[in-house]
Structures are given as C-alpha cells and as structure tokens.
Amino acid sequence: MEASRWHGPLAGEAYYARVWIPDPEEVWKSAELLKDYKPGDKVLQLRLEEGKDLEYCLDPKTKELPPLRNPDILVGENDLTALSYLHEPAVLHNLKVRFIDSKLIYTYCGIVLVAINPYEQLPIYGEDIINAYSGQNMGDMDPHIFAVAEEAYKQMARDERNQSIIVSGESGAGKTVSAKYAMRYFATVSGSASEANVEEKVLASNPIMESIGNAKTTRNDNSSRFGKYIEIGFDKRYRIIGANMRTYLLEKSRVVFQAEEERNYHIFYQLCASAALPEFKTLRLGNANYFHYTKQGGSPVIDGIDDAKEMVNTRQACTLLGISDSYQMGIFRILAGILHLGNVEFASRDADSCTVPPKHEPLTIFCDLMGVEYEEMAHWLCHRKLATATETYIKPISKLHAINARDALAKHIYANLFNWIVDHVNKALHSAVKQHSFIGVLDIYGFETFEINSFEQFCINYANEKLQQQFNMHVFKLEQEEYMKEQIPWTLIDFYDNQPCINLIEAKMGILDLLDEECKMPKGSDDTWAQKLYNTHLNKCALFEKPRLSNKAFIIQHFADKVEYQCEGFLEKNKDTVYEEQIKVLKSSKFKLLPELFQDEEKVLSPTSATPSGRVPLSRTVVKPAKTRPGQTSKEHKKTVGHQFRNSLHLLMETLNATTPHYVRCIKPNDFKFPFTFDEKRAVQQLRACGVLETIRISAAGFPSRWTYQEFFSRYRVLMKQRDVLSDRKQTCKNVLEKLILDKDKYQFGKTKIFFRAGQVAYLEKIRADKLRAACIRIQKTIRGWLMRKKYMRMRKAAITIQRYVRGYQARCYAKFLRRTRAAITIQKFQRMYVVRKRYQCMRAATIALQALLRGYMARNKYQMMLREHKSIIIQKHVRGWLARVHYQRTLKAIVYLQCCYRRMIAKRELKKLKIEARSVERYKKLHIGLENKIMQLQRKIDEQNKEYKSLLEKLSSLEITYSTETERLRSDVERLRMSEEEAKNATNRVLSLQEEIAKLQKELHQTQSEKKTIEEWADKYKHETEQASVQSPDTTELEQNTLLKTEKEELNRRIHDQKKLVEETKQLELDLNDERLRYQNLLNEFSRLEERYDDLKDEMNLMPGHKRTDSTHSSNESEYTFSSEITEAEDLPLRMEEPSEKKAPLDMSLFLKLQKRVTELEQEKQSLQDELDRKEEQALRAKAKVESFYCPYFLQRQELESENKKLKNELNELQKALTETRSPEVTAPGAPAYRVLLDQLTSVSEELEVRKEEVLILRSQLVSQKEAIQPKVNNNQQMYGVVKQSPQDYHMLNEDGELWLVYEGLKQANRLLECQLQSQKKSHENELESLRGEIQSLKEENNRQQQLLAQNLQLPPEARIEASLQHEITRLTNENLDLMEQLEKQDKTVRKLKKQLKVFAKKIGELEVGQMENISPGQIIDEPIRPVNIPRKEKDFQGMLEYKKEDEQKLVKNLILELKPRGVAVNLIPGLPAYILFMCVRHADYLNDDQKVRSLLTSTINGIKKVLKKRGDDFETVSFWLSNTCRFLHCLKQYSGEEGFMKHNTPRQNEHCLTNFDLAEYRQVLSDLAIQIYQQLVRVLENILQPMIVSGMLEHETIQGVSGVKPTGLRKRTSSIADEGTYTLDSIIRQLNSFHSVMCQHGMDPELIKQVVKQMFYIIGAVTLNNLLLRKDMCSWSKGMQIRYNVSQLEEWLRDKNLMNSGAKETLEPLIQAAQLLQVKKKTDEDAEAICSMCNALTTAQIVKVLNLYTPVNEFEERVLVSFIRTIQMRLRDRKDSPQLLMDAKHIFPVTFPFNPSSLALETIQIPASLGLGFISRV
C-alpha cells in the first residue's frame, strides 16, 4: 500500500477514500476517511458505515496503512483476481456479497474455484445446466463446478494430457457433493463407449462408498471419513470406459467410538433400520440404541434421512456393480457380527485376567454369523500368545486390554471389509478396453484442528502440507508462464514454501521416522517418543514447539495455523496391533467370505486391501518371512500405518504432478448448518487454510490486473481525445497511459495485454467516473436550460392565447347583437307572409275540387265505350281460329298416312338385304380368327401363371426353411416396431379425431358468434325502440322495462359466458392436439433411433466372422416398413427368391402369412379369369353371326394403312442407315446440306404420319359408331308401324345412313384440336407477357440503381467521381459478360440435347407406330365390344407418366437420389423435380396395374432417402432438399389420389391424372413419418450451425458500439465483446438465416413449412441466449439489455423483410425480450415490482429472481438491486404456477405439420434434363 493513493479528494470532489480496518467480531469493517492523510500522521480520522466516528491509530513500527476498498462497481465479481485491490478483506467482502445478496455459491480465485456450502438444495445441477456448460469456455460462464469439469474434459481432449480435480475443504464444506457433481458431469457429457452403462456404474459407486465410509459428525451429517482418488478412464473418443478408486486413511476408530452428537458409519444404521426384512431375520439385529457401537453418540437418527430407503439404494448400487445377492448378504453378516461383537462384555477375575460370561448371547450370535467356534473365540478374546526365543506361552490379559483387543478386532474386520468392497467396486468399474486418458477426482480431507488432535489429524495435516506445496508450485509456475508469454520482465515473487514443515514430518529423523523407530522398540511408549521429539527438534527447528504446560504434546507450525498434537495413542494407532490368534480363528471360519478378507495379508498388499487404514497401491511386492526364524510371524514385517500413508501420499503426488490439476476449495460458511448464513471468522480461517489467500498474495505481488489492448481502449475511450486515437490500438493505449499514470513502474506493456499493479485499475476507474460525471453535469446544464426556455415559451404562448380569447369574446358579443336585430326583422316578415298564404290556399283548394268532379264524370263515360268494342273483337278471334284448326288437322292425317306406307316399303327392302348377308359363313369365320388367337394367348398366359405359382410355392417353402433359424432373434424387434406402429396409428387417429372435433367446435363458435351478433343487433334495435317509446309515452311505468332489460342482460351475459367457455375449450383442444402431435413425433423420433440402432447392429453382425455380408439395399429393405401395408410387406419376396443362397436374414412371420394370403388371392384371381374366358367364348360365338357382315368394308382400308405405314418405316430405316454410314462432324453438323435434307424429309414424314393417324382414329370411331347403331336401327324399324308421333330431337331416326353422326364426331374432333391450339397459344402469350413484365421490372430496378449511383457520384469530388464511374462501368460490363456466357452455355446444352433427340427420333416413331396399330387390332375390338373408345391425344401431348424397366429401378434410385447434388438441381431445375419424376414413375406403374413395381419403387425411394440422409445428414442443403422433395412427393400422392378432399384444387386435366388402381394411403403415412424425421434432422443440423454463433452474436458482440463498457476481468478471461476476425456478430447470424431461407426457397419448400423452420430457429436463438444470460453475471446489466433489445429488433426486421411475421417466430423471442426489459426497467419501489410482475409473464419466477440477483452495474451511476426488492418480487409471484426449471429447454422441437399444398404444375409439361442421367426412362 502506498501513500500516494492516500491523498484527499481532487478539487471539488465530495467523496473520500474508503478503507478496511480490523474488527474482533466481523474480522474487517468498512470505514470512510474524513481527513486527508499526510505522510507522518499517526492517527486517521475515520467514520464507520453505521455513522460512528473513529480515530484509527497506525502501527508506530510498520506505519502500515489500512487496506483500501475497491470501487462498488468491482464488488461481486466472478473472479477475485479482477479486484483492483487484492487483499484479505476485499476477498472476504466479495465472497460475502455474492453468497448473501446474490445467492451465488461459486467464485473464481485465479485458478481456484471457491465453493461455499449453502446448506440448501439449489436448482443449478440439472441436465439443462450441464448442457448449458458443455462445450463452453471456462471464462465465458458464471463460476460453477461444471465449468471446472468442462475445462478438465476439454484440456484432456485438446492437450492429450491427464487431468486432476482436487477438491479439498474441512468436514461439512461440501467436498463429497462437489466431487459427486463433477463425476456426474463427466458421465452425462461423455457417455460410455459400450452398452454396459459404465457412467451409471461410476455414479452407483457413490452410495456404496458413502454408506461404508461416511458418517454423521458435529460439523456434517454426511462427512467422508476417508480420502479417495477416483480415476475416470476414457477411450480415444473420450468416452467413459471405466474407473478406478484409491482410498486413504479410513477413520477406523469411529467403528468402536463416537463422540457426542455423532454417529458410526451409515451402513450400521441402515442395517438396523432394515432389521425387520425377512432376509435379515438371521442377522438378529435390533434398534441402533441396542448396540454399543451405534449408541455412544446419542444421535442415531439424522433429520430428513430415512435409513431404510438408503439401504435400498445401497443394495441397488451393489447389484448394479455386480456384487451378487449372496455376497451382499455375506457383507451384511460381517457388519452385523461387528455390531454383536461390540456388545461382548468381560468379567474380571483379578487385576491381570478376565473372562467372557458363559453362553454369552452377543458372542454366540457373533460366532454363528462368522462361522467360528465359540470356545476358541471366547478363549482368545481373554488371552494372548507370547513367543520368546526358546518357547511360546499363553498369557491372560486384563479386562481393559481385552476390551481394547475386542475393539481392535472389530476395527480390523471393518477395515478389511472396506478394502474388499473397494476392490470389488474397482473390478466392476474396470474395463477391458485400453485406457487412453483419465481424469482424476481427489476428494480428500482439508486442514483440521480440534481441541484434542491425535494421529488422524496429524496424517490429515501432513497430506494437506504436501497438497499445498504442489498447489503453490503450480500457481507460481502459471504466473511465471504468463509473464514470459507476454514478454514482461520477470522478477522473483516471494511465496510461502512449506518444504521445511514437510521435512520436519517425513525427512530422516523426522517425526514419522522417530515414530516408526519407537514402534519397533519393545518397551516403546508415547512418553519416550515425545522426549525423543523434544531432544531432536526443539530449538533446532523453528516450526516445532513444545507446549508450556505439557510433556506429552508438541506443536507444529503448519502453513495454515499452529496445531497442538497430543502424543497419547500415537504409537498404538501407528502400529495398528491386532492379535494374530484372533485372526487365525476368523481365517478358519466356515463362512467363505470371511477368510477371503484376510487371505494373502502376509504376501501381497493388493490395490484395494493393502492396509487397515486404506489402500496403498505403491507396495505390491511379496514380503517373505526370515528363513532363520521359522516361527516368526508376519506381523513383524508389517509396515506401520504412518509408513504406508507416506508411501501412498508420495504415489498420489506423483500422479497429481503427472496431470494438469484443477482446484476446488470448499468453504463452510457457518458451524450451525444454517442456509445462506455467513460467519466471517470461520470463512477467513478456511480461506487461510486452503491457500486462497496465498494465491491472492502471489497475484498481488506482481501485476494482478490485466487488460487486452482492445478492452482497455473500449473501456477508457472516454479519457482519450480524438487526436489521441490512432489506427494502432497498442500505440494509442501507450500514449494515453503515459499521460494518465506518470509512474511507469505501475504498468507494463505485454505483447497482447497491459499489466497493472494493484490499485491502478481503481485509479483509472475513478478518473473515468470523474470524466463521465463532468459530462453528466454538462448534459444536465444544457437540458435544464432547454427546459427553462421551453417553460418561458409556453408562458408566452399562454398569454397570447388568453388575449386572443378575450378579444374573440368581445367580437362575439357584438355579432350576437347584430344577429338578434336581423332575426326580429325576419320573424316579422314571415308572420305577415303566413297570413296571406293561408287565405290563398283556401281559395285554390276549392277550385281544384270542382275540377276533379267534372273530369271524373267525362272519363267514366269514355271507358264504358272502349270496353264494349274490345269484347266484340275477342269473340271474332275465337271463331276464326276454330275454323283454321279443323282444316289443318284433316291435312296432317293424310300426310302421315302417306309417310307410313313409304317407310314400310323401304324397311322391307332393308330386311331382305340383311337376311342375304347373314347367310355368308366364310366372312364370319374370317372375323373371328383374331378372337381365337386371343383365346389361345390367354390360355397360354394362364398356364404360365400356374407354373409361376408352383415355383413361388417351392421357393417360399425353401425360404421358410432357410430363415426359420433367424426368426426368434428379430421377433422382439418386430414386436417393438409393431407396438410403435400401433402407438403411431393411435396417435394419428386421435389427432384426426381432435382435428374433427376442433373443426366442429370452430363451426359452433362461428354460429355462436353470428347468434351473438344478431342478438346484439336486436338489442340495439330494441333499445332504440324503447327509447322512442319512452319519449312518446313518458307516463309508462319503468319497473317492467327494467325487469325486462335485466332478464335480457342476464341472458346475453350467459350466452357470452358460454361463448367464452367454448373458446377456452377450443384452445384447450388445440393444445391437446399439439401435445398429441408432439408425443407422436417424439415416438417417431425414438422409433427412428431404434431403427438406426437396429441397422447398425445388423451391420456389425454382418462384419463379424462367420456371417455373410448381405447387400445394403436388401438389408434395409428387410428391416423397414414391414408394418405399413400389404404392398410393403411382400416387397422383397422376388429378391429373396432370386438369391436364396446369399440371403441369411430371418423371415418375418407376418410377412409369411401375408404371402400365403396373397397366393390364395392369386388362385382366386386365376379361377375368375378362367370363368371370364369361358364367358367371352360364349359371347364370341353368339356375336359372330351378327358382326361378320358388318365390318367387311373396313378391312380393306386397314390393310392399305398398314402397307403405307410399313413403307414409311422402311424409308426411315434407310435414312438412318445412310446417316450411320456417312456420319462425320461435317455431315451431321446443324448447317450441313445433308442435315437440312434429313430435317426436311423428317418433317414431311411426320406430317404424313399425323394425317394417317387421324384417318385411323376416324376409322375407329366409325367402327364403334356403326356397331352401336345396329341395335337402334332394329328398334326404329319396329316402332315405325305402331307409333304415329315421334320426337323431332331423335336424330338417329332422321340419320338412316349415319352421315349426321360422322359429321358430329368430326366437328367434335376439330373443336378439340382448335381448343388445344387455342390453349397453347394462350399459354405462350401469357408466358411472353410474364417475361415482358419481368424485363420491365428489371429495367425499372436498373434505372433506379443508375439514378442512385448518379446521385452518389454527384456528391463526390471530381477525381472520385471519375473513379466511381469507371468502377461502375467495369462492373456493368462484367455482369453483361457473365450473362452472355450463361446464355452461351444454355445454347450449347440445347444443341447437344437436340442432337440426342434427333438420333433417337426415328426409333421412337417406329415403336409408337407399332403400338398404334396394336390399339386397333380386331382382337381388341371383339374383346371390348361395348366400351366407348377415348380418342387419345397426339404423340406430342404426353400423359404425365414416365416408363422405366424393372431392372433399371436401382439405377433410377442411384441417379435420382443417392448421387444427386442438391445445389445443381436447386439452381438449374424446377423445385421438387425429383419428387415429380418419382411420382410420374409411380403413375405409370399404377397405370399398368403392377402392384409389385409400385411396392418396389416406393420402398426403394424411402430407403434411398434414408441412406442419403444417413450419409450426408450434417449438410443443411441435402437435408433441406430432401425434406422439400419428400413433402412434394407426399402432396402429389394426395393430390392425385382420387379423394374428393384433395381433388377440388385440381384442374380437369390434373383430375384425369389421378391414380386408378392403388390406394397408397398407408404409404402416405409412411412418407409423412419420414418427413417428420427429416424435419427433426434439419432442426438438429441448423442448431449445430447456429449454436456457436448465438452467444457471441446476441450477447457478447457490441452491435451498438460504446454503449456497454468492458468491466475489468480476472485471470479467467472472458470472450472479448469486441468483434475480432474470428468472432461471430449479429450480422453473422442474419447472414446465416438468409442462407437458410434462400436454400429452402430454392428447394421449393412449402411456405408453411418454412415458417415452422424459422419459428424453430428463433426459438433456439431465444432459448440459448436466455440460458446463457441466466448463467453469466457480467451480461446482466442495463447496457446489455439495450444491446439485446436492439439485436432482437434486427431479427424482427429480418422477419418483416421475409414476410414471416405471422410464423409465430417473434413470440418465441418473448422470454428474451422480457429479460432484456427486466434489465432496463427501474427496480426500486413497489410500483416497479408490480410493473415487473405484469410485464414478465413469459418468464418463470426462478428466471426473474435469477436475473435480478445477477444484475450488475457496469458504471457507478447504476444501482444494484436491493435484496428487499427481490423478496417483494418473490412474494408477489408466489401464487404463480410455473415451472421451477431455471433454464429453457433449448433442445425442444415444436411438433411439425405438413398442410396440403397442391401443385399447379401440369405433369405432362415436365421435361427431364439430360444432366440427371435418366436417359433410360421415357415419357408416356
């Protein structure tokens, strides 16, 4: 501390320095300096915080000034090394503020994590917290045990070096819990490398070790009475493969003795609490107060702990670790025997001998349980064997010695049992896999000092001396490395080295050496050992002292404190004597477990059973007895406890030195276990003992405060002038610091950081605060002047307004007088006018009445005359009409009679002609030659089907035999898949029912709303009428109206209430639907995971020796979709039959049964075909005579057409041959003469072919029409004679020769052609119009851009204007060049495609010609005699189908799915093209009615998509592309399914393309499930991409520069908030969102699906940001809230730009928005609390309280949140029912829906690009 910092305030400063002064009660008290300190002053004038003035006298010798307080802004920091003044009171105060005010139990102190025991369960160790810390840098998150564990795990993977976590602290500080949470973190984050659940076993070892090694003490209810070091092993992929445990210094004395208010080990009380269990009856246990070894402490029960339940947990953990029930019962027998042994009593016979009472029940039970003889054990408990050089004799022992021997035996048995259990735990945790690295967790006792300190405390403090030495060296090493890395001049820092103390204990002739030497002496005692200590070390070693009033004690000055040890019992505990005869009795036990505990004690010290006090893995050599003395016992060669402990400690230190250590120091805040109560005295003792203050001292001795140049510039930019700011940040900081701090020794410049000595940051903060305060005063001055000017202007404006209103009032009064005068004149005028007008109106009315009477009389006379004339005309009309009708009817009858006679004559002639033609038999035979051929073909086809059926049966039986051996293995998987299917179907049905119910409720809601509207209209109308009625009849009674209105009001309220209830029910149903959908999709996700696991297991089985590897496609086919439909279940049958020898996969029984069912259906179909064939033959025989004569004239035309077609085909073949013979680049080039000749010939041939086709179509229509006209002609002839009247609309009667019908058909065809041409022209015109509009729009945009550039250029200087114009011109030319290159490439592609089409055109014409001739074969005409023929379109009008061969299916899947590059398809082709191609292939298979082909194609498609996603599942473009195409494929299956609900959106042409033969509803469900899986995979991919950006971009980066200043940070440097090149910013997130959105749009993803993806992305951003905010104290400030609000507004702007505001994405950010608002609002009064409670409805209570606790001012002008205000918030929110979970579930995925989105694209217009490599499929 330096005096220069102690000068008074600056000029005009009102704040004085604050200091810490010692206090006997609170250790340190805060005070404020009242008077400036001057060098030489002996007294300081101080004022305490409570207002009391004090004179503080300085030490006259040292004249050391009291330590200064840190600025308030630094109080509560995460890292103690961030404090400007580093000393004990600052550390203590910072820990207290964090612990009491902010409820934060973890704090960093350099490399140490300080953990304060809260004595309360805190919700900060859940799975969500583990996920939040996983993968994060240690300095980026708030201090936590998980952060230390993550740092160790990360360094192990990064540095390839083993790690250690050293957890220390005194009893009750929480060491065991901290170690347990560290192990839980490793188990959760890493997982296990096998299915053996090693991580569960590692965690299961905790309850076992706690039950046998933990006990209740006065300081801790679950105190570990042994030290342990657990090595958690990892493989090369850093997954847990096993663990190993070492134990140290078990407190055996607790087995036989407990102090007041303490307990024995937990296992004994657990046994007593479970004594009533049937399996424990043989142990003959009772209450814990019955046994001597469990009742001494007088406190057998721990509050809140159920020992019986703990026993269940212990047994479960033993079972999990492989300790069988028999071994467990053996352990419990031994433990029960120890309890009964403690109840054995002795009776004294004399002073030197004793005996056990006869048939002593406790000893009898002990012997029964141990399986030993009662007499032998009773004898050797009271006697011992002494061996001399010549003889051996037995000596009785006194009662006291017998009790001690009994207790020693109990301790020895328990210690060996403890080591045996540890050994078995290690065996269970051992892994056969080679360990790559490990992380060790050391849970060891801290420094201990009690009123009476014995051998145990000596060993514990010795171990802590070694650990403290290692800790000091590590801290010193890190500090030195930091200085050297930054190239700072290194000056040696003096730090406490405790090597002298360690030498005093372990060196030659040290305390342990003397103790071992004394133990070897025959008459050695504690007194003689104490005298040797005094003689050896007293006055020779400064660390060794002798108490004044005792000759049986010594004092050692440890690093933490002086400790006085009592020598009594040291020798006995060090020797750990047990009589060998008692051990031999136990070894002879019939109970096999007991001898196992003592075997090989003489030979080997095993890793877990080495010593009575714990495991000593160092000594593993065989110790042989001396040869010269055969009777010598092994106990003489037994090492002492102190020697064993020293060896094990050396081994531990070697292990720790070979690893990278991480330190956790646990602090016990009070001795009464009160939650969140801080005792300063106890805390300071522990801070001194655990080395935290030593770390502080080492850091403070050099340059403790360290800033990067960018952070320093950002924080202290306000102290710089504009001219001081240079482009070089380092030079800028140097220049500023030289002006601010004159003493250059106070700072050093490193390579990347500035190093400050203690206090300099506080000084800089003071200067910064002064500068900001002066700026605030200037701002206040300006604002106050502005406010006064505004006030004056308002007063002046008010005076002018008053004047205006007064003058206006006077003017209005004068105007009123003038108006009144004018009104009086007007009234007089109108009164006089009224009298005159009244008289005139009376005279006019009388005149009009006379005129009306006269005119009426004249009109009536005229009407009577006109009526008589009209009636006479009507009579004449009727008479003349009757005469004309009579004449017409006579003429008509004569004409009809003549027509009948003539028609009868014509009919007789026609009948005669038909009879002659019917006699021609030869023509009849000729007609039916084709039919006989058809019948023979059908017969042959039936025979082939019979043969195929027999081969199917044979192959099916062979398959059944081959696969039956594998059926059982997959049956469980199949059953699980079926259960998943049933659950999925149930969930789907429930979803559908819920949707129907919601629709129904919505309909009712609309009805209710309409009723409400009508009621409201009626109520308004009624109210209006009531008001009118009340105005008209004021005397009506109001009582009835009020009653009526009340009843109507109640009725309306009831209806409104019902409507609200209905709305709530609807919302609840929607929530249930979403929950059900989410449950179903989670189930689907789990099913997908199991399916992938199944595939992996199957692949592993295939790779094992002795198994054949099957084809991947076949294996995937066998495992998938055996549940979806009958089509799917049989899909792999042909493949299995083709290669029965290669397939060894099992046969699904359901598949076998359904195949049998399919065979039965095929037999039935065969029988029905046979019946149909017979029926056709009969019909052919009957129709032969009728048809033979009718079709004769048309065969000649058909033959002519066939000959002409053959001629054309020959000409085309010749042309092809000529081309192939003369093929060369010059000949076949587009401009060559041969090319033009060929093109002309091809055009002429095509035109002639079209003409011939039209003739064929017309002939077919004539044939059908003639055939259908035979029957109507006969009927017409029959009706000629009997019917006189006939309808003139029946054109068949007037069309005797069929000419009118032919004309009508021709007109229809012509109309169709014209309509088709018109539609094509219309489409071309529309396309041209759209292109012209696009060009106009692009020209407009280009014009606007040019104008903007012109405006910008005009603002520039002339030189820059020329340069900008040149740059613009270069850019424009470059763009034009690129466009031209793209057009050239497109033209080249078009030329190549036309060449390919030209080469195959002739072949296609020939094939189509043959197909056309087959369509009009005679066999077809006879087979379908009554079906109307649909005239097909021309060849160029495709049907929207794609044809491929069955063997090309795998090629199709490979080219279209497996090897397709999404980027090229998305850019160059129409969106969803693969989906359209696949559906068009399905349509063709459906058109052919080939169910096998449909099955195979759909299954191969689904498996191919799964395979491609498994291979490239981490690529967003791939996953997005196939999600889009899967949804489009699903929509196509719905759109063309033929269901009315989907067809209503189609065009008539699209409805013609609907599927006709198969219902693929179940496949739609499978595709929907696949789409859900792809969507979830897409969410995982984008989450992995966004995760690293979110925290940096949303929280750490300063989007608004300068708003949030950087606070001082400690040794654990946080991620810089200034954007470097490698850090992410908000722009990075927005660019990534743009990338995601553009990719999805390019792939043609449904807009609704894009909205759901965006909503999920925004949820992830909001959840991760909020979770990080809740775990980072440095981010909870007002300025950071402003940054978050701005960032969120940028995201909302992005949503608006993309028209996605209605996607629900903004609502997912609501918790983050409210958290940012919470950081910004005022937090003082009750009104503020009420506003916060109403505002933060999207945050839970835990989150609100956490934010308020973490709120940290960045500047001193901000105020901290008071604890009372937080309590007020908690009281107001106590009734809110929300989740107690602190963090949001960032892994949550919203349930996805796929709304039906039909495509307007016509299938027949889709072209297949050559780049896809699908030349083997053809359009149909």
Side-chain angles (χ1 to χ4, degrees), residues 945-967:
Q945 285 183 351
N946 288 332
K947 291 179 183 179
E948 186 180 355
Y949 169 65
K950 290 179 181 179
S951 64
L952 282 174
L953 284 178
E954 292 173 0
K955 291 180 180 179
L956 187 60
S957 61
S958 65
L959 278 175
E960 182 179 1
I961 295 169
T962 306
Y963 296 149
S964 59
T965 58
E966 299 288 337
T967 303

Side-chain angles (χ1 to χ4, degrees), residues 33-55:
L33 190 66
L34 296 178
K35 184 180 177 183
D36 291 353
Y37 167 76
K38 298 177 181 177
D41 289 350
K42 298 180 180 179
V43 177
L44 296 178
Q45 301 294 329
L46 304 176
R47 175 173 294 167
L48 301 178
E49 282 189 338
E50 57 265 26
K52 180 181 176 182
D53 291 343
L54 176 71
E55 289 188 356

Side-chain angles (χ1 to χ4, degrees), residues 1204 1208 1211 1243-1253:
E1204 289 176 358
L1208 292 172
E1211 290 177 359
T1243 306
S1244 62
V1245 169
S1246 300
E1247 291 175 355
E1248 189 171 356
L1249 183 61
E1250 292 295 328
V1251 172
R1252 294 303 180 188
K1253 280 185 180 181

Side-chain angles (χ1 to χ4, degrees), residues 1595-1712:
L1595 279 180
E1596 294 172 349
H1597 173 61
E1598 289 190 15
T1599 317
I1600 311 172
Q1601 291 293 337
V1603 172
S1604 57
V1606 182
K1607 286 184 63 178
T1609 54
L1611 178 69
R1612 312 241 180 231
K1613 300 302 289 181
R1614 297 194 176 279
T1615 306
S1616 175
S1617 61
I1618 312 302
D1620 299 329
E1621 291 183 2
T1623 59
Y1624 294 106
T1625 64
L1626 180 64
D1627 292 337
S1628 305
I1629 297 177
I1630 292 178
R1631 280 197 301 271
Q1632 191 61 56
L1633 293 178
N1634 283 326
S1635 173
F1636 287 153
H1637 187 264
S1638 63
V1639 167
M1640 290 188 291
C1641 291
Q1642 284 176 3
H1643 293 161
M1645 191 179 292
D1646 294 342
E1648 289 298 323
L1649 193 54
I1650 291 178
K1651 290 180 180 178
Q1652 296 181 67
V1653 174
V1654 170
K1655 178 182 177 182
Q1656 187 68 47
M1657 286 193 296
F1658 273 62
Y1659 174 79
I1660 293 171
I1661 292 173
V1664 171
T1665 306
L1666 181 61
N1667 290 348
N1668 221 274
L1669 183 71
L1670 293 171
L1671 295 175
R1672 293 184 60 165
K1673 190 172 186 291
D1674 62 318
M1675 292 296 168
C1676 293
S1677 61
W1678 181 89
S1679 54
K1680 188 57 65 176
M1682 186 175 178
Q1683 294 277 10
I1684 295 172
R1685 289 286 298 277
Y1686 175 76
N1687 293 342
V1688 170
S1689 67
Q1690 293 298 303
L1691 293 178
E1692 292 176 1
E1693 187 65 30
W1694 183 84
L1695 286 175
R1696 275 190 287 272
D1697 290 342
K1698 304 298 181 183
N1699 294 323
L1700 294 172
M1701 286 298 288
N1702 60 344
S1703 62
K1706 182 178 179 295
E1707 288 72 16
T1708 61
L1709 296 175
E1710 196 61 33
L1712 180 61

